[in-house]
């Protein structure tokens, strides 16, 4: 009597390097949505506690401006920090997480919250990060080039946020 071994399915072997681009995009949007919900919770907590302590000012305009800045920073940092475990749970790699961080930094530093295109770019950011960080089955040399490009974008994003913060 022979026993047949069950073949290991592709779903069990699926990791960031074998995941198709469409699946990467879908999982990236799910992780981004959950991170945005967590960031909204952090902003709610900051509204109730941190803003009252940090933004004590004599004028209403200064206190309002301080609170808005605090909410933006708490939302962005909360989103990016919460994205790490959520992306790892859905088997997304570090290249995608760094791509999201770089894209979010460049997006925030553009400082155009009142423009429609700013919001459109924000909605397309997860798909762009998933596409930029996908393997595309091009080999290890292509992957090293991706790491170099994404690292350069991350450094540029960090520099842009620092410049934006300092120059107001």
């Amino acid at each position: 009597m022979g026993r047949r071994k069950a073949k290991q399915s592709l779903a069990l072997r699926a990791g960031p390097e074998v995941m198709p681009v469409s699946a990467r995009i879908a999982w990236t949007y799910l992780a981004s949505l959950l991170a945005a919900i967590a960031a909204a919770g952090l902003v709610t907590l900051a509204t109730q506690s941190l803003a009252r302590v940090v933004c004590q000012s004599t004028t209403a305009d200064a206190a309002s401006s301080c609170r808005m800045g605090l909410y933006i920073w708490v939302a962005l940092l909360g989103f990016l920090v919460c994205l790490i475990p959520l992306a790892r749970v859905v088997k997304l790699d570090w290249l995608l997480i760094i791509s999201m961080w770089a894209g979010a930094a460049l997006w925030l530093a553009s400082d155009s919250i009142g423009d429609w295109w700013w919001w459109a770019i924000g909605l397309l950011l997860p798909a762009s990060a998933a596409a930029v960080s996908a393997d595309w089955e091009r080999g290890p040399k292509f992957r090293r080039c991706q790491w170099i490009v994404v690292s350069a974008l991350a450094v540029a994003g960090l520099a842009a946020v620092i410049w934006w913060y300092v120059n107001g």
Side-chain angles (χ1 to χ4, degrees), residues 2-14:
R3 293 186 181 204
R4 297 177 68 183
K5 288 185 179 180
K7 290 185 178 181
Q8 191 177 18
S9 71
L10 182 62
L12 294 176
R13 291 182 287 151

Side-chain angles (χ1 to χ4, degrees), residues 51-148:
R52 294 176 191 226
V53 174
V54 173
C55 298
Q56 293 178 350
S57 181
T58 56
T59 64
D61 283 345
S64 174
S65 179
C66 174
R67 284 189 180 127
M68 182 56 96
L70 179 69
Y71 300 155
I72 289 171
W73 283 108
V74 167
L76 180 69
L77 293 175
F79 172 78
L80 293 175
V81 169
C82 292
L83 181 67
I84 294 170
L86 293 168
R88 298 303 295 162
V89 163
V90 295
K91 297 186 186 311
L92 296 170
D93 56 351
W94 282 101
L95 187 60
L96 180 119
I97 294 168
I98 295 169
S99 299
M100 282 289 291
W101 278 55
L106 292 169
W107 177 67
L108 180 69
S110 68
D111 196 22
S112 297
I113 195 168
D115 296 327
W116 67 269
W117 58 265
W118 191 80
W119 293 97
I121 289 173
L123 290 174
L124 293 175
L125 184 61
S128 301
V132 165
S133 65
D135 186 20
W136 298 106
E137 299 177 8
R138 298 298 255 339
K141 189 174 182 178
F142 180 76
R143 199 70 169 160
R144 277 191 302 273
C145 290
Q146 277 183 311
W147 272 103
I148 291 168

